[in-house]
Structure formats: structure tokens, C-alpha cells
Amino acid sequence: MLILALNQFRAGNTATNPKLLPAGIGVSASNLDTMQGDFRGRRTASLAHTLTGLGSQQASIYRMGRDAPSDTAYWLSSSNDLDYARSMLASDPTERTYYTGESKPRYTDNTYLGSPPYPTGAVDLGIPAPSAAMSVALNVAGSGPNEDRVYLDTFLRANLDEGAPNVSSATITVTGGSTVNISGLAAVPGGAHGITKRRIYVSTGGDFRLVVEQNAALTTAADSGSRGAILQTGGATTKPAWLMPPDDLKGLIELWNGMHGAFAGKAFQICVPFNPHAWPVEYLRIVPDTIVGTATFGENWLLATTGLPRLVTGSAPAGMAARPINFKQACVSKRSVKGVGHGACWASNNGLAYTGQLGTYLLTERLLTRAQWQALVPSTIIGAAWGEWYVGFYNDGTRKAFMVNTVKPEGIIWLNQGAYGVFEDSISETLFILDAGNTIKKFDYGSVAAATFKSGVTRHPYATNPGAARVIATTYPVTFSLWADGDLKVNAVSVTDDQGFRLPGGYEAEEFQAQIEGVGPAEALFVAEEMADLP
């Protein structure tokens, strides 16, 4: 009589009673590739690049040169946990790249790349406002009616990023058509802001209009009467001041409609669309709990917090609002928070949490017990999206990973590969992982590794002694093991062909588990009482 048959190999589950597992779900599955439905090993990570010129293990990587696929050009890295975001400008020849996670938000582009390690240069993301009021004096009087002129100035970078206007203005009453001398312009502030230019604006009761644009180091200017573009960076109640981002801003993320978002403490903030250097205080909102990490799916911005998660939606910065999700799963790892297309995941104390189009629940609730999940040290998890899978890299003393299907979470696949950081390259659809020694590897690109699948418990109608087994595979050898009533009876037999082979006697049991190991592919495994009972 046939005792046990395996012809599906999908994932492992250690939370459910092993006697109640469905077909294809075992008590453990390691390095298993399920794409073709059979038993086969997943490919290892393949070395793509090694970072050079660095004195410490890096924790974050990001690839510039995003318009062309490459394994080597150009890797930005840091020993800190950084969040990178690209500009959303339609024309962006310098590939402006912004990041948070260092002493303050910063900005770089391909003019700063230099030679490895990249980048060789960067500037602070924010642009300070001039700190002192200018002086104004009549030069040549005009012949028009009297008018009250209010002057203020702003600083700019060479790429025309413009900061908030001076909070101190200068006022003078002159006749229409008069020219005015301007002096005492505030000095360019110290620091790495990239400031190269200054603009001076004037208002006679309406919008502030451009008077002159000049070198930022000049301390004098003249209002000759010409008027240009309207000031956009503040100076009116309808135009919030384009303030610098807070130094402790982190979690920078690309949103939609030209917006970027980030957070600090309990506050989340949104920049002026298409201008990630500008963060008006009017676009700041507070939630009850400290924000740990963020991710997006569609036009939804998830805030994973130390309390209830929040979902931020809206089409423009002033209208963005956060609503709570009644799901008491606090986030314990910033780097675990990951958008997976149809939703977002994060590590909680109880398991891998999910919210999105498929509902709100723990993906691992029926796959791992809380104690088993805690053994992974969830605070160390770094999340990545790989097709329908969430890949969680963790460190329980050894860096490893697990995979959970986010559409149909029926089991866990364990991986031997760990990571210090990850980068998902959209143009090549490649998951790059940062490994020890500052090596960058391509996930699932190397040679095929040996996989292991251990079945659930099959109960036979009566006590018996299995007499024969057979493994049907495309590629041999395959290693077979058998447990009876929980005791290992057949340990690591190398199977070299599809013929049945005999098993040792001298015992009887009612409950059986089989394990298969190897590179594969293999299609089925059978255990029977007699050789004649094998398919």
C-alpha cells in the first residue's frame, strides 16, 4: 500500500499542526524555487560589483545612471540608513538625487559623481533665506504718483532651485518711475548649500515681481524699473514659504503629482511639488504615534508607526490627510516597511503586517507562531519586493532571509542569503543586495543552490514498516530522508535514478515524514510498504 506521496512543493509552515498541512505545504522549505511547480533549488545571488575606497561596512546603496541598466554604474553608498529619491522633473539631465538619513537632508547629481566611492560631492538639500534686511535709498526720482515699495530677496542654486524669501523686508515710498539703490544685502550663509545667485523682488501692493538676478556675493544692487517673474517661494498668504527641510527629516519617498514626502517624529511633511528642497510648514501634519517607516502603493502613502498605521491620501500637499487603520500592529523596523504594488508590508512584534487592496492582516499569522517570528529578531528586518514575494532579510546572529508570497501567503521559504541593504532597480527589474565586504550581488542570478523540502506528517491507517521509496526527478542525484513517528529512520540516502529502492525494516509506525534535498528539478517522491506498491 502507498504510504506517502509528494508531488507539490510550495512552501513551509511551522505554525499549523504538521498533520493538518495542505498538499504542497511542508514543515520547512529552504532555497526553494516555486516558479515551475516542481522541486528545484533557487539560484544564488551573483556578484555584480564591489564597492571600493571605503573603510567600513556600508548599510545603504542606490544606483545613479538610472536611465540605462548597469551592474556597476554608479553606486552611491553609506554606512548610515539612507533613503534616496530621484527628482520628478520632466527634463532632468543631471539626474538630481535627494537623500535623508545623515546629519541633514542632502542633494547630489551626476556633476558631483567624480570617481568612486560615489558621490564625491553633495550639498545640503535646503536653501536658507537671507538673514538680514537690505537698505534701500532713492536714486533718481520719477514723475508718477507716490507708491510704497517693499523689497525682499532670495538665494538660488545654479540649477535655479530657489529658497524662501527674506523674512525682513525693506520699504520705501517713492514717486512712480523712480530708480532705487539697494545696499547691505545679506552675505551668503556658510555651509554646503550650493548657493550661486540672488534674486531681489519688489511689491507695490500686489505680487512681488523680480527686479534683478545677480551673483549672490554682491552686496549692492539697483532697481532700474524693470519687472519680471512673480515670486513663487513665499511672500504672500497664498504662497507658503519654501522653508528648508528639518535636519532630522528621514524616510524620503517619491509620492505622486510631483510630491515627495518624509517624516520626523510624529510629523509627516510634503514638499512643494517638483521642488524637494522646499518644505512649507503649512504642509506638515501630526499623527498621534511616532512614525517608524513609510511606503507607497498606488496613490496611498502608508505611515507605519509605534501605534496604529496611518494611510495618507490626497492630490496636492495642502489636501493630504492621514486616516488611521484599525490594525494594532506597531512597526518595529523602519527598513522592513515596503510597498509591494497592491499594498505595503512592515514588521510588527507579531508577524509581517500587510495593508492594501487584499485587506489588512498578518501575512505570517498562520505560518509562524509569535515565538518563531520573534526568533528572527524582527527589528533587524530589511524588506524587498520580488515579484509577488516579500523578501525579508534578517539577522538572528547570522544574516539570512525569508520569502512570503504577498498575494497567496501559504507558507515561508527560507534563504541562506543575508543582506546589509537592498536596492530595487526598476529599469532592469533586478533586486540588488549589499553583502559583507561591500559586495553588491544580484538576487536570484547565480548558480542553482540545493533546496530542501520536508513534508508534513502523513498518518497511515495502521502501523506499518515502509519497505520501498522512489524519487522521480529530471536531474539526479537527489537526497532522501524519512521520519517515522518523529524518529529519523532513513538519513540522507543519495538517489541516483528513478528506480525504486528498498528501505530498512525492523520497526513499525503510523506517522511518516519525508524530506528531499538537492538542486533538482524533481517532480515526485513516494514511500510505500512494498516495491510493488510504488507508482
Side-chain angles (χ1 to χ4, degrees), residues 440-454:
I440 296 175
K441 298 179 179 179
K442 299 168 75 172
F443 183 76
D444 198 49
Y445 259 80
S447 59
V448 178
T452 301
F453 181 89
K454 185 177 181 181

Side-chain angles (χ1 to χ4, degrees), residues 86-212:
R86 185 175 174 175
S87 124
M88 296 189 189
L89 297 173
S91 177
D92 181 23
T94 62
E95 195 174 347
R96 301 183 195 182
T97 301
Y98 312 94
Y99 56 93
T100 57
E102 290 188 336
S103 58
K104 58 182 65 178
R106 308 212 77 195
Y107 149 81
T108 191
D109 61 30
N110 58 28
T111 67
Y112 290 103
L113 278 175
S115 57
Y118 303 121
T120 57
V123 297
D124 295 344
L125 181 54
I127 302 173
S131 59
M134 66 191 78
S135 297
V136 291
L138 177 65
N139 180 20
V140 177
S143 58
N146 284 354
E147 60 186 23
D148 294 326
R149 297 186 189 177
V150 181
Y151 291 88
L152 47 74
D153 56 338
T154 66
F155 287 128
L156 293 85
R157 282 197 271 258
N159 64 8
L160 302 184
D161 284 348
E162 186 173 10
N166 198 326
V167 295
S168 300
S169 58
T171 303
I172 187 172
T173 301
V174 296
T175 54
S178 298
T179 60
V180 171
N181 288 330
I182 302 169
S183 61
L185 292 168
V188 175
H193 304 295
I195 294 170
T196 59
K197 298 181 180 181
R198 183 195 314 263
R199 285 177 179 169
I200 300 171
Y201 295 86
V202 67
S203 170
T204 56
D207 290 321
F208 283 88
R209 303 196 74 99
L210 181 64
V211 173
V212 64

Side-chain angles (χ1 to χ4, degrees), residues 403-486:
M403 298 177 65
V404 178
N405 190 296
T406 60
V407 176
K408 190 177 180 181
E410 57 185 1
I412 303 278
I413 295 176
W414 303 100
L415 305 177
N416 295 332
Q417 178 67 58
Y420 289 82
V422 298
F423 173 72
E424 296 166 28
D425 196 336
S426 58
I427 192 169
S428 63
E429 297 185 351
T430 301
L431 172 59
F432 289 95
I433 59 176
L434 176 63
D435 209 344
N438 293 322
T439 55
I440 296 175
K441 298 179 179 179
K442 299 168 75 172
F443 183 76
D444 198 49
Y445 259 80
S447 59
V448 178
T452 301
F453 181 89
K454 185 177 181 181
S455 73
V457 174
T458 296
R459 186 174 179 83
H460 200 60
Y462 51 83
T464 188
N465 174 222
R470 182 186 182 193
V471 178
I472 298 176
T474 300
T475 304
Y476 295 94
V478 174
T479 302
F480 167 86
S481 301
L482 180 70
W483 285 259
D485 288 348

